[in-house]
Amino acid sequence: MTEKISRFFEKSRKERLDIVERMTGLTKEERQTLESLGGIGFEQADKMVENAIGTFSFPLGIATNFVINKKEYLVPMVIEEPSVIAAASKAAKIARLCGGFSMNNDESYSIGQIQIVETDVESATKKVMEKSVQILELANSKSNTLSKMGKGAKEISCKKLETPSGKMLIVELLIDVGDAMGANVTNTMCEGVAPLIEQITGGRAVLKILSNYSTRRMVRGTATFDKNEVGGEKIVDNIILAYEFAASDPYRAVTHNKGIMNGIIAVANATGQDTRAIEAAAHAYAARNGKYTSLTKWSKDKDGNLVGFIELPMSVGTVGGIINVHPMAKICAKILGISSASELACVIGAMGLAQNFSAIRALASEGIQKGHMRLHARNLAAAAGATPDHIDSIVEQMIKEGNISINRAKELLNSD
């Protein structure tokens, strides 16, 4: 591992960009794009969505000191919430003392579903399975790219659903989509095989679409946090108690998992991923046993160090979609230095674990507001109209008074 980056947050924008450029080999043009406001103009936006009227920028920051599977990463994060990037960087700095994050993930298997009604489900299931080779061949004919790579549709399965309208047969395609997120090719294959399945079953196909509950694309991993760096044995014990609270109570678990998703979605935003699919799958997985619970687990090792574990579905891609269209997403992928969707999934999973550690560590020690409110105070001071020269003094005074509000920021600004 190389020397950790120290006090990145204290450096100027130019100094930060110099570090990123040096470490990741950005070109002059890529640096200029980073220095622009959002990376795209109206003409590009107008091609991405309907009825476009402009663009909407969010802050892009860098989380430092991440070591994942023994590789160094600068992790780009797009998020508007204060303290998230700082918290992630702090967690990574502590985790790297014990080797960083060890992550792994499953194959990139997407699940497609064809809904069949108006058929005898039991006999139709048997017929579908007997014709599975033919169905897979037809599905794979819909994507020459995946077939040439030895990927594509691999398995057929069937399940019966009891619904108020009667029994339904759900035929599922398991598709290896490689480094793509895979929504488009999965939907294309489902639509392509639906007429054949109708012919085989004598039923009627209604929906033909992927499932975003990507349980065949799981990411999981662990990290150890030195007990002394965490704050001592009492803080380690408090963190475990905080986890047990989240594991046992859905009201706490929702907020606990929201903190995890702060990190996950910030990286997903930066790299052009389908954040809605990631969120939906994660929360479904948190409720997989009939009760909503934590996506992470926390325990102690034999030396009393804190050990964290995370597991959740992670459907991401490094080819296709916005990641190959949006210039900022392409640059963020370059900054990360990722070579596959599998690697990206591991980075995102590690970020979720890091963010969870920082959040519950703060909650289990000084409380979440101490660091969060300082950053929030800066936003309020800026919103009140303070210039960069005045922001720090206004923030310090509000914190000293314990009165962090837009009105107090305005009063202090007017009193200068």
Side-chain angles (χ1 to χ4, degrees):
M1 291 183 290
T2 59
E3 184 73 18
K4 66 179 182 291
I5 298 174
S6 298
R7 310 194 76 79
F8 192 75
F9 66 94
E10 290 184 347
K11 301 183 187 300
S12 67
R13 184 188 186 191
K14 180 182 181 304
E15 290 171 329
R16 294 172 191 169
L17 283 170
D18 286 344
I19 291 171
V20 173
E21 182 179 356
R22 183 177 70 251
M23 294 183 67
T24 63
L26 294 179
T27 65
K28 180 180 178 181
E29 291 74 19
E30 288 167 338
R31 176 158 177 162
Q32 289 174 342
T33 299
L34 280 174
E35 291 172 339
S36 69
L37 297 178
I40 65 170
F42 177 75
E43 288 187 2
Q44 288 170 295
D46 199 32
K47 291 182 175 68
M48 291 181 183
V49 300
E50 302 78 23
N51 304 336
I53 61 170
T55 61
F56 190 110
S57 296
F58 275 86
L60 167 62
I62 295 289
T64 59
N65 294 314
F66 271 83
V67 175
I68 304 167
N69 295 338
K70 299 182 179 181
K71 178 180 175 180
E72 298 267 359
Y73 291 91
L74 293 178
V75 186
M77 302 177 73
V78 171
I79 189 168
E80 85 296 345
E81 185 170 330
S83 78
V84 171
I85 298 174
S89 300
K90 178 67 173 179
K93 186 177 180 181
I94 296 174
R96 71 184 283 137
L97 297 175
C98 295
F101 299 84
S102 297
M103 307 296 300
N104 66 83
N105 70 307
D106 297 335
E107 301 92 341
S108 294
Y109 282 164
S110 178
I111 299 170
Q113 297 183 304
I114 301 97
Q115 176 192 24
I116 303 296
V117 298
E118 300 169 10
T119 187
D120 180 88
V121 173
E122 285 74 16
S123 63
T125 296
K126 183 178 179 181
K127 293 175 183 177
V128 167
M129 297 311 297
E130 288 173 349
K131 298 289 185 178
S132 61
V133 172
Q134 184 181 354
I135 295 170
L136 289 172
E137 288 176 349
L138 178 58
N140 285 320
S141 72
K142 304 301 178 181
S143 174
N144 291 328
T145 301
L146 289 179
S147 297
K148 289 177 181 178
M149 296 168 60
K151 301 184 183 299
K154 298 295 184 182
E155 295 179 18
I156 298 279
S157 62
C158 296
K159 64 184 180 185
K160 178 176 71 174
L161 296 183
E162 299 280 358
T163 78
S165 297
K167 295 178 182 179
M168 295 179 184
L169 170 63
I170 309 301
V171 180
E172 294 188 337
L173 295 178
L174 189 65
I175 306 165
D176 184 346
V177 294
D179 286 324
M181 185 270 184
N184 288 334
V185 70
T186 301
N187 292 340
T188 297
M189 287 186 177
C190 287
E191 292 179 1
V193 301
L196 174 59
I197 294 175
E198 286 182 320
Q199 179 184 335
I200 292 169
T201 63
R204 179 169 63 91
V206 185
L207 299 189
K208 316 107 179 177
I209 190 170
L210 89 159
S211 169
N212 285 127
Y213 192 28
S214 47
T215 55
R216 294 296 298 269
R217 299 180 80 167
M218 303 294 295
V219 65
R220 62 189 66 82
T222 186
T224 299
F225 300 83
D226 181 88
K227 64 184 178 184
N228 295 318
E229 294 294 327
V230 171
E233 293 183 9
K234 182 178 179 181
I235 301 301
V236 170
D237 290 339
N238 283 349
I239 289 173
I240 293 171
L241 289 172
Y243 151 67
E244 290 175 353
F245 180 9
S248 302
D249 177 44
Y251 284 84
R252 172 66 201 132
V254 168
T255 310
H256 177 93
N257 288 343
K258 185 267 182 186
I260 294 170
M261 302 313 289
N262 274 346
I264 285 174
I265 297 304
V267 183
N269 280 332
T271 55
Q273 305 304 310
D274 186 339
T275 58
R276 288 79 57 199
I278 293 171
E279 289 266 16
H283 295 303
Y285 192 71
R288 64 192 180 281
N289 293 322
K291 178 181 178 181
Y292 190 90
T293 188
S294 170
L295 290 166
T296 56
K297 296 178 181 179
W298 294 92
S299 61
K300 288 190 291 188
D301 65 13
K302 60 182 177 57
D303 297 317
N305 298 316
L306 182 68
V307 179
F309 173 81
I310 188 168
E311 182 179 64
L312 73 162
M314 188 58 60
S315 180
V316 296
T318 55
V319 297
I322 289 298
I323 197 167
N324 294 135
V325 175
H326 198 297
M328 282 294 203
K330 289 193 284 187
I331 292 171
C332 287
K334 182 173 181 177
I335 290 171
L336 264 179
I338 50 173
S339 59
S340 66
S342 173
E343 186 179 2
L344 177 58
C346 287
V347 171
I348 293 177
M351 177 59 74
L353 185 59
Q355 194 61 40
N356 188 223
F357 163 77
S358 288
I360 57 177
R361 177 176 179 266
L363 286 167
S365 52
E366 74 269 15
I368 201 75
Q369 291 297 80
K370 183 178 179 180
H372 183 80
M373 290 308 290
R374 174 175 288 274
L375 290 167
H376 181 55
R378 293 185 66 84
N379 286 341
L380 292 176
T387 63
D389 293 338
H390 292 88
I391 285 177
D392 286 340
S393 61
I394 291 174
V395 168
E396 292 301 327
Q397 186 61 33
M398 287 196 294
I399 290 173
K400 181 179 179 181
E401 296 173 354
N403 182 6
I404 300 174
S405 68
I406 186 79
N407 290 332
R408 183 55 181 150
K410 289 178 179 178
E411 291 172 359
L412 292 169
L413 181 62
N414 293 331
S415 67
D416 283 351

